[in-house]
Amino acid sequence: MAYRQLQQSNRVAGAPTASRQIAPRVATGRRALHVAAVAEAEKTAATTRGGAASVPAPVDIANKLRYLFGRNGDYTNADAYHGTAWSVREKLIDSFNKTHEHWRKEDPKFIYYLSAEFLMGRSLTNTVYNLGLQGEYADALNQMGYEMEKVADAERDAALGNGGLGRLAACFLDSMATLDLPGWGYGIRYKYGMFKQALKNGYQIEQPDIWLTSGNPWEVRRDDVKFEVGFGGRVERRKVNGKEVTVWTPSEKVIAQAYDNPIPGFDTPTTSNLRLWDAMPLTEFDLGAFNAGDYDRAMLDRERAEAISAVLYPNDSTPEGKELRLKQQYFFVCASLQDVLSRFKAVHGTAFESLPDKACFQLNDTHPTIAVAELMRLLVDVEGLDWDQAWTITTKCLNYTNHTVMPEALEKWPVKVMAKMLPRHMEIIEVINEGWTRWLAGHLGDLKSEERAKRIAAMSIIHENPWNKEEMLVNMAYLAVVGSSAVNGVAAIHSNIVKDEILNDFYQIFPSKFQNKTNGVTPRRWLAWCNPELAALITDTLGTSEWINDTEKLAGLRAYASDKSFQAKWSAVKKAKKAKLAALIKKIHGDDVNQEALFDIQIKRIHEYKRQYLNVLSIIWRYKQLKKMSPEERRKAVPRVCVIGGKAASAYDMAKRIIRLVTAVGDVINRDPDTKDLLRLYFLPDYNVSLAETIIPAAELSQHISTAGTEASGTSNMKFQMNGCLIIGTWDGANIEIAEETGVDNVFVFGVRAEEINQLRKERKNFKTDPRWDELMRDIEGGMFGDKDYFKPLVDSVNNMKVGNDWFLLANDFAAYLEAQEEVDACYKDQAEWLRRSIMYTAGSGKFSSDRTIREYAEDIWHVKPSRPSA
Ligand SMILES: *Cc1c(COP(=O)(O)O)cnc(C)c1O
């Protein structure tokens, strides 16, 4: 059996252990129980020798609480969480040290995943499962009178990301470690992560995410790893030993302080790393100013420096054109590159020509693209390499992933801003662009001069702002393409759109640079650990738990898809998960929901292109139909509990109105005695990773209904698929590949195709809306859900059929969507068919493990090979 599998075998299943079943749950008994458990464990400890690792878990947890927190007995679940986490942390660090000792000896090539966002979620459950310690810690907590699940629930999410892009980075780290690939993530240790979303009278309000207040057991501060990062100032040429050198003297300097977050692989001794940077002032405190009575100034430098890593920009699919954001980007890129180069130099001295054999970097979207200029600066200005040699090295080391087709999300920085904040980098980008456009002129030598000039202008890294001819912009996507070896999209359709539309000019020049790497999600977090009941059933049925690291094995479930007794077990798991979600809805909204109803879920960032609005319209239509029905007809209707969740960017007015529409419609429907047994709509606030882990296993239908051609991939669709949840969706992003793997007939596909949307957008004026659509528009406008004035802009945004309105073509897809929803109802009435499809989804999800994605990156782009420490 593979490493850790032995320890794991019964635990993966999540079957309650004997001690868990007999553990008393009454809080009053806890202290006595706890003292007895610890005394018992201490006796055992006395007979064993060695360090922390050999101390029995209950003793260790109690010790942590006693000596780190000064507590003694009668802990809350939150206390128990901290004690457990600090205990587990030591095993994690042991594994981390061993792995890095091994990698230091082997000196393999490393992949560095540069990302402004890592949406890690919680760590306790993932860590104990991945390390094979689940049984030990679940038992320990049981002996002490606690339940692992409740204890784990006390952990706050590490929400250092907005949505899909940040969560992808987190899944990738899990897969890299699991596949023993030498690799680290690099990012920012935001003091405030993604805002906490609350509802007030049905409107979104944003509260700061103060996630570090009770300490973070999952990080290690590296006091010996810090780098200076400069901003502003001036650039000079000097002669040193007869050679002209460029010297940048920044006007502002801060310190980047490293924090390591160990990333445990599953079923392997490998534990890799996510290194996050915290910004600190260069001088701790200006005592001079303080003594002179200038208290404010004494604090000023500190605040200015700390602001850099203070907050995550709460935007999704739109760049926040703020200087602080560029500062954040440069801050973490500069520190990360210095860090990598300093480790390289410690082993290889200045043999930089071999840097591409030892290190490569993946740019997660354009956010870290300043790395192109920064690596050039470090190699040319600091290390003294020739420009051409440095350029060869830089382009060999860097690769770029495009994540979006939204034109507004392709980052462009005003030359003025860049020149002021990063004067040397602006110069470097100008030299890169001169070389690039000169090369292009040669390459396009056959074209007529006018056409050639047009093509060159269209591909220039520095270009005019089309909306303001006075302003010049640096196009970060173009810089990333020119400065990289490989450029990839994140699903087949998206990679084609990148090649054929977004970056078509570049594709024509460098066709072989462009690749597809369809996204994936980690089957550990998103199936095995968040749905242990389903995992146990799968393991039982397949006779092995190897599917956790080899998801293609899930295809073995196809043989059972129509098996009645298997369907019954499958259905029982779903019911148990639905009961948990029902309990959560009860906790948040105070309502009991019908657990026999179809659980219909749409959870993702709120965005017009994701079309939550279209979902709400169909719910209103369903409501109106139910209202009209006779009691006889109603008895035949399929009851539904609809859940919508997601955050709206704080400045995204339309998205906030959509949230309010959801809550307003819910308020009417959920209280209507005619329909409330047949239809509910709830908005679940503060959607994040841990909420997703509760919702997804309970989902029966999930909605991925973006306008075709707008969702690059989507990854929640993959999480739902793994958990046997049927999909209603458009022919977009990874939905297409999911349908291919699941069987297209098993998916409720509807709507226009990506190839049609440009034409349809042009034909807006001639579009004849469906009468049902017109009726719904009148209802909302007429105040059926209150807040008439507030909803007016929502109605206007989709209802005037002129060019530019209803940009995301809700009206075009409306009728087809209602029809697809009817198919859903019909299918749900045939439970055997529904369950067969559900099983086919999980069985077809093998492709969407991020292990597969990461293997492809490693083989086709990174050329990084596994290196596993001995157990
Ligand atoms: C997976 C995930 C996402 C991405 O969801 P999409 O529906 O693919 O946009 C966003 N947020 C969280 C918390 C996630 O877990």
Side-chain angles (χ1 to χ4, degrees):
M1 250 193 191
Y3 177 80
R4 281 184 196 148
Q5 209 164 309
L6 268 173
Q7 294 140 288
Q8 213 53 85
S9 43
N10 287 320
R11 317 300 189 188
V12 173
T17 57
S19 54
R20 201 185 293 178
Q21 280 163 334
I22 58 161
R25 289 171 190 208
V26 272
T28 48
R30 262 188 191 170
R31 189 182 158 84
L33 199 77
H34 160 74
V35 171
V38 170
E40 181 59 30
E42 267 168 351
K43 258 195 285 174
T44 323
T47 65
T48 54
R49 288 175 353 114
S54 66
V55 178
V59 181
D60 201 35
I61 294 169
N63 280 345
K64 293 293 173 291
L65 282 162
R66 195 177 300 151
Y67 298 116
L68 289 175
F69 299 93
R71 306 295 300 273
N72 204 359
D74 244 352
Y75 316 122
T76 62
N77 277 324
D79 294 333
Y81 158 71
H82 283 288
T84 309
W86 284 89
S87 170
V88 170
R89 165 193 160 102
E90 291 180 4
K91 319 215 163 169
L92 187 61
I93 291 177
D94 282 341
S95 173
F96 174 95
N97 286 341
K98 241 176 150 175
T99 305
H100 287 82
E101 191 58 42
H102 174 75
W103 284 345
R104 255 192 302 281
K105 271 212 302 271
E106 298 285 312
D107 190 31
K109 182 175 179 182
F110 261 66
I111 160 67
Y112 298 105
Y113 199 83
L114 302 183
S115 181
E117 303 186 11
F118 287 91
L119 191 48
M120 304 300 285
R122 290 173 176 157
S123 286
L124 178 60
T125 304
N126 188 64
T127 306
V128 293
Y129 270 117
N130 275 19
L131 291 179
L133 300 169
Q134 161 67 9
E136 185 182 336
Y137 277 89
D139 290 349
L141 286 168
N142 259 299
Q143 285 172 40
M144 297 169 76
Y146 299 85
E147 271 177 81
M148 185 55 134
E149 201 179 314
K150 289 200 178 125
V151 168
D153 237 10
E155 181 175 359
R156 296 191 66 140
D157 276 41
L160 309 184
N162 273 288
L165 173 149
R167 183 54 231 175
L168 183 78
C171 284
F172 279 4
L173 293 179
D174 183 84
S175 286
M176 282 158 53
T178 297
L179 297 174
D180 303 309
L181 289 176
W184 282 11
Y186 270 117
I188 300 173
R189 181 180 178 271
Y190 299 103
K191 186 171 174 196
Y192 303 102
M194 189 57 191
F195 66 81
K196 248 177 86 70
Q197 179 194 54
L199 291 178
K200 194 173 174 191
N201 303 325
Y203 296 85
Q204 165 175 302
I205 52 173
E206 299 113 37
Q207 295 162 343
D209 169 39
I210 318 174
W211 70 292
L212 288 166
T213 34
S214 342
N216 177 6
W218 309 111
E219 68 181 11
V220 181
R221 185 183 152 111
R222 295 283 176 209
D223 279 313
D224 53 334
V225 184
K226 32 180 117 181
F227 294 94
E228 271 185 32
V229 179
F231 301 96
R234 58 198 153 76
V235 178
E236 295 160 298
R237 264 15 97 179
R238 284 189 206 147
K239 273 251 158 55
V240 176
N241 301 330
K243 199 180 163 196
E244 180 165 282
V245 295
T246 304
V247 180
W248 170 34
T249 315
S251 55
E252 181 191 352
K253 283 184 182 173
V254 300
I255 298 286
Q257 163 70 58
Y259 283 79
D260 285 347
N261 298 256
I263 307 292
F266 170 64
D267 202 17
T268 168
T270 297
T271 290
S272 71
N273 191 21
L274 166 60
R275 180 161 282 181
L276 299 177
W277 301 102
D278 180 41
M280 303 199 309
L282 195 62
T283 44
E284 186 56 22
F285 189 66
D286 186 346
L287 197 62
F290 187 82
N291 288 338
D294 193 350
Y295 309 122
D296 289 346
R297 233 211 58 212
M299 298 308 290
L300 214 67
D301 276 357
R302 170 170 211 101
E303 276 170 27
R304 213 175 133 76
E306 287 176 352
I308 295 174
S309 56
V311 274
L312 167 77
Y313 277 91
N315 284 305
D316 196 70
S317 294
T318 49
E320 189 57 29
K322 293 265 170 60
E323 286 180 34
L324 184 57
R325 185 159 173 129
L326 180 59
K327 220 169 170 181
Q328 290 184 330
Q329 295 178 350
Y330 179 62
F331 168 75
F332 93 89
V333 164
C334 173
S336 307
L337 291 182
Q338 288 188 68
D339 191 28
V340 171
L341 286 190
S342 82
R343 276 198 306 277
F344 176 85
K345 283 165 73 176
V347 179
H348 303 278
T350 54
F352 291 107
E353 66 281 1
S354 60
L355 182 66
D357 303 325
K358 291 294 166 191
C360 66
F361 300 87
Q362 192 68 38
L363 310 178
N364 195 24
D365 214 335
T366 54
H367 314 148
T369 298
I370 196 66
V372 178
E374 175 64 2
L375 190 49
M376 287 301 287
R377 184 187 74 85
L378 291 170
L379 293 175
V380 175
D381 295 359
V382 180
E383 303 297 344
L385 267 64
D386 290 345
W387 179 275
D388 290 346
Q389 198 194 356
W391 183 246
T392 304
I393 295 168
T394 296
T395 52
K396 274 191 190 169
C397 285
L398 301 180
N399 305 290
Y400 157 58
T401 304
N402 175 282
H403 278 276
T404 181
V405 306
M406 299 284 137
E408 68 271 23
L410 294 168
E411 287 186 297
K412 299 172 189 90
W413 294 104
V415 167
K416 265 200 184 130
V417 169
M418 179 91 72
K420 184 150 177 271
M421 185 185 302
L422 301 169
R424 177 55 182 151
H425 298 78
M426 194 58 241
E427 280 186 5
I428 290 171
I429 293 168
E430 276 163 2
V431 178
I432 292 171
N433 197 40
E434 275 162 28
W436 161 240
T437 47
R438 210 178 321 114
W439 182 89
L440 262 183
H443 185 80
L444 299 172
D446 294 344
L447 294 179
K448 282 216 210 84
S449 68
E450 203 178 311
E451 171 64 13
R452 186 171 50 186
K454 233 173 83 189
R455 292 276 298 277
I456 295 172
M459 279 186 273
S460 176
I461 295 165
I462 301 166
H463 58 69
E464 260 178 15
N465 180 347
W467 313 111
N468 172 10
K469 304 272 183 220
E470 309 285 284
E471 188 177 58
M472 296 301 284
L473 301 173
V474 182
N475 187 309
M476 300 309 267
Y478 294 180
L479 179 60
V481 175
V482 173
S484 290
S485 287
V487 177
N488 74 282
V490 291
I493 182 183
H494 169 63
S495 295
N496 285 332
I497 293 173
V498 169
K499 286 195 282 193
D500 300 342
E501 291 175 42
I502 305 171
L503 297 170
N504 178 256
D505 289 345
F506 293 87
Y507 172 63
Q508 288 183 34
I509 309 266
F510 311 113
S512 63
K513 245 191 208 195
F514 287 77
Q515 300 196 24
N516 173 243
K517 293 285 165 279
T518 298
N519 283 165
V521 300
T522 168
R524 271 74 63 187
R525 182 178 295 263
W526 295 112
L527 173 51
W529 309 164
C530 75
N531 199 345
E533 298 86 347
L534 197 65
L537 177 57
I538 295 169
T539 297
D540 261 9
T541 307
L542 299 179
T544 169
S545 62
E546 281 167 17
W547 58 270
I548 298 174
N549 279 5
D550 180 5
T551 46
E552 293 295 344
K553 287 209 159 70
L554 291 169
L557 294 173
R558 289 201 178 108
Y560 302 87
S562 301
D563 178 319
K564 285 280 162 310
S565 87
F566 184 66
Q567 284 189 351
K569 292 184 201 159
W570 192 262
S571 167
V573 171
K574 188 61 87 182
K575 287 222 163 80
K577 295 314 233 181
K578 284 171 75 178
K580 281 202 170 157
L581 179 53
L584 184 68
I585 293 171
K586 168 104 178 166
K587 192 170 141 205
I588 295 172
H589 290 280
D591 288 0
D592 288 300
V593 299
N594 175 3
Q595 291 180 30
E596 297 300 312
L598 163 56
F599 277 29
D600 165 352
I601 316 283
Q602 188 179 24
I603 43 171
K604 46 184 79 242
R605 285 302 292 264
I606 309 292
H607 203 292
E608 286 161 285
Y609 87 80
K610 292 179 183 276
R611 303 201 295 189
Q612 284 91 354
Y613 190 9
L614 183 61
N615 185 2
V616 179
L617 291 175
S618 96
I619 293 168
I620 300 173
W621 184 253
R622 175 175 294 269
Y623 171 63
K624 295 185 63 159
Q625 297 315 104
L626 287 169
K627 285 288 278 183
K628 276 194 231 152
M629 285 179 192
S630 65
E632 180 63 29
E633 285 168 320
R634 278 190 199 143
R635 264 195 293 281
K636 285 194 221 129
V638 173
R640 280 209 205 195
V641 172
C642 302
V643 168
I644 296 178
K647 293 174 186 176
S650 38
Y652 193 170
D653 178 71
M654 209 55 99
K656 290 182 158 177
R657 288 177 204 262
I658 292 171
I659 291 176
R660 177 61 190 131
L661 183 64
V662 175
T663 59
V665 171
D667 285 345
V668 171
I669 292 179
N670 300 343
R671 272 153 201 57
D672 190 325
D674 289 346
T675 59
K676 70 192 194 42
D677 294 334
L678 292 169
L679 183 62
R680 298 289 180 97
L681 170 59
Y682 294 101
F683 187 87
L684 293 191
D686 205 33
Y687 175 53
N688 59 14
V689 172
S690 50
L691 190 59
E693 287 167 3
T694 304
I695 294 176
I696 291 170
E700 293 175 291
L701 178 73
S702 73
Q703 306 221 20
H704 307 277
I705 59 175
S706 51
T707 316
T710 64
E711 185 77 273
S713 161
T715 48
S716 79
N717 41 7
M718 301 167 182
K719 303 167 193 165
F720 284 106
Q721 181 198 15
M722 277 182 185
N723 285 276
C725 169
L726 276 58
I727 286 174
I728 181 167
T730 45
W731 204 242
D732 198 21
N735 291 355
I736 298 171
E737 289 157 81
I738 289 173
E740 285 165 359
E741 297 294 312
T742 305
V744 179
D745 294 343
N746 294 326
V747 181
F748 304 101
V749 178
F750 71 94
V752 302
R753 300 288 158 125
E755 314 82 78
E756 304 174 79
I757 68 169
N758 287 337
Q759 192 56 31
L760 292 171
R761 277 175 178 165
K762 282 188 207 138
E763 291 168 359
R764 223 59 222 119
K765 258 198 307 229
N766 308 326
F767 182 75
K768 184 89 190 64
T769 50
D770 191 288
R772 294 169 295 182
W773 169 276
D774 300 335
E775 189 181 319
L776 292 178
M777 291 296 134
R778 282 195 301 274
D779 289 338
I780 299 172
E781 220 172 5
M784 185 168 174
F785 305 101
D787 261 359
K788 260 200 316 212
D789 296 340
Y790 190 68
F791 295 141
K792 181 85 169 42
L794 267 185
V795 172
D796 290 346
S797 73
V798 296
N799 205 28
N800 288 319
M801 290 307 144
K802 59 178 192 225
V803 175
N805 240 16
D806 191 19
W807 186 248
F808 296 107
L809 306 173
L810 279 72
N812 297 64
D813 279 348
F814 177 72
Y817 180 50
L818 292 189
E819 207 175 298
Q821 290 285 18
E822 280 171 26
E823 284 173 41
V824 170
D825 287 334
C827 185
Y828 199 74
K829 284 182 185 165
D830 180 356
Q831 274 294 299
E833 168 59 9
W834 186 274
L835 288 167
R836 184 194 66 79
R837 290 196 194 192
S838 168
I839 296 162
M840 291 298 280
Y841 273 67
T842 305
S845 67
K847 175 175 173 183
F848 304 103
S849 165
S850 45
D851 297 349
R852 187 267 313 148
T853 315
I854 287 299
R855 264 194 211 99
E856 290 178 5
Y857 275 99
E859 281 166 22
D860 305 338
I861 298 181
W862 303 337
H863 311 293
V864 169
K865 298 205 164 49
S867 173
R868 178 190 277 220
S870 53

